[in-house]
Amino acid sequence: MAVELHHFNTALDRLRFAYWVPNVSGGLVTSKIPQKTNWELGSNIRYAKAAEQAGIEYGLTQIRFLASYGAARQHQSVSFSQAILGATKSIKIIAAILPGIWNPTVAAKQIASIDSYSNGRIAVNIVSGWFKGEFTSVGEWWLEHAERYRRRNEFIRVFKGIWTSPDETGLTFSGDFYRYTNSNLSPKPVQTPHPGIFQGGNSDDARTNAAEV
């Protein structure tokens, strides 16, 4: 049976809704009660299509490289987001990305490609990380809280810069964590000026970072 997709309100000041994409086992719930949410792709495609039909605008995948609060098995967020986008028509997926583990120019290229495949339906959630074991388990240095937010600040600035810099010059950037000279990205993302960038946190560092970038 064909189902007509919900027509989104396009007003800029509209209230927007998102749902957590359960791309890790455990259903994203810290509980001893057995969870019925399935973390595999087939089930997640069904969830995304149901959300799409209900008029929910975004799905948010989370990033985990190591088990925590029951998430013993994890699908990688960016590739999982791409798979969901390939099976849906209108919903946007926000892929979580973790600076330090990801290189910003490589991630920017990957997101730009997915933006093209999905006709402008990918966004990113740049997280700072809180789980030391995730970094050390993949051979990355662990930074203290304020330094992780400084790195996130530079990561977002590199993302925006390489997505919007002219092809003739590319991005030149000199920071404490990332440095580039005439780094170019072509083709650019479909969305202008670039895919949506989300970030979260409740600390002073998080709020300062959000205000700056």
Side-chain angles (χ1 to χ4, degrees), residues 18-23 28 58-62 81 92-96 124-125 198:
Y19 77 99
W20 272 109
V21 174
N23 57 303
L28 302 177
Y58 291 96
L60 171 60
T61 59
Q62 71 160 303
S81 298
K92 298 178 180 179
I93 302 296
I94 307 167
V124 293
N125 178 31
F198 292 78

Side-chain angles (χ1 to χ4, degrees), residues 6 31 48 80 87 91 95 106 112 122 147 157 164 169-172 183 188-189 191 208:
H6 180 90
S31 173
F80 203 74
I91 196 167
V106 174
I122 187 73
E147 291 297 282
R157 288 161 61 195
T164 60
T169 60
L171 170 69
T172 295
S183 182
K188 296 290 194 286
Q191 299 178 74
T208 298

Side-chain angles (χ1 to χ4, degrees), residues 150-162:
R150 285 208 311 119
R151 178 172 60 190
R152 184 173 81 171
N153 184 295
E154 288 191 11
F155 193 99
I156 294 173
R157 288 161 61 195
V158 170
F159 251 38
K160 289 182 175 181
I162 199 166

Side-chain angles (χ1 to χ4, degrees), residues 30-206:
T30 304
S31 173
K32 294 182 180 179
I33 299 173
Q35 300 299 308
K36 296 182 179 180
T37 306
N38 192 302
W39 68 294
E40 291 288 6
L41 179 60
S43 294
N44 269 281
I45 288 174
R46 292 199 303 273
Y47 304 151
K49 288 182 176 180
E52 194 171 53
Q53 292 167 5
I56 294 175
E57 193 164 350
Y58 291 96
L60 171 60
T61 59
Q62 71 160 303
I63 183 62
R64 284 269 73 84
F65 285 92
L66 205 63
S68 63
Y69 55 86
R73 297 179 296 279
Q74 318 93 27
H75 287 302
Q76 191 274 325
S77 59
V78 175
S79 55
F80 203 74
S81 298
Q82 180 178 350
I84 293 176
L85 287 166
T88 53
K89 295 181 179 180
S90 61
I91 196 167
K92 298 178 180 179
I93 302 296
I94 307 167
I97 292 180
L98 188 56
I101 293 178
W102 260 287
N103 174 288
T105 53
V106 174
K109 180 69 171 179
Q110 187 176 14
I111 296 299
S113 294
I114 296 173
D115 203 45
S116 176
Y117 309 153
S118 66
N119 194 27
R121 292 191 291 124
I122 187 73
V124 293
N125 178 31
I126 309 300
V127 301
S128 296
W130 57 270
F131 189 9
K132 182 178 180 179
E134 279 193 312
F135 288 85
T136 58
S137 69
V138 296
E140 285 293 327
W141 292 102
W142 173 248
L143 302 179
E144 294 304 321
H145 187 273
E147 291 297 282
R148 296 199 304 276
Y149 277 94
R150 285 208 311 119
R151 178 172 60 190
R152 184 173 81 171
N153 184 295
E154 288 191 11
F155 193 99
I156 294 173
R157 288 161 61 195
V158 170
F159 251 38
K160 289 182 175 181
I162 199 166
W163 278 337
T164 60
S165 60
D167 289 340
E168 297 77 15
T169 60
L171 170 69
T172 295
F173 181 89
S174 180
D176 293 332
F177 301 96
Y178 306 107
R179 296 185 180 186
Y180 301 97
T181 301
N182 305 125
S183 182
N184 195 20
L185 173 68
S186 183
K188 296 290 194 286
V190 171
Q191 299 178 74
T192 56
H194 52 70
I197 298 175
F198 292 78
Q199 51 183 312
N202 58 11
S203 66
D204 289 341
D205 291 322

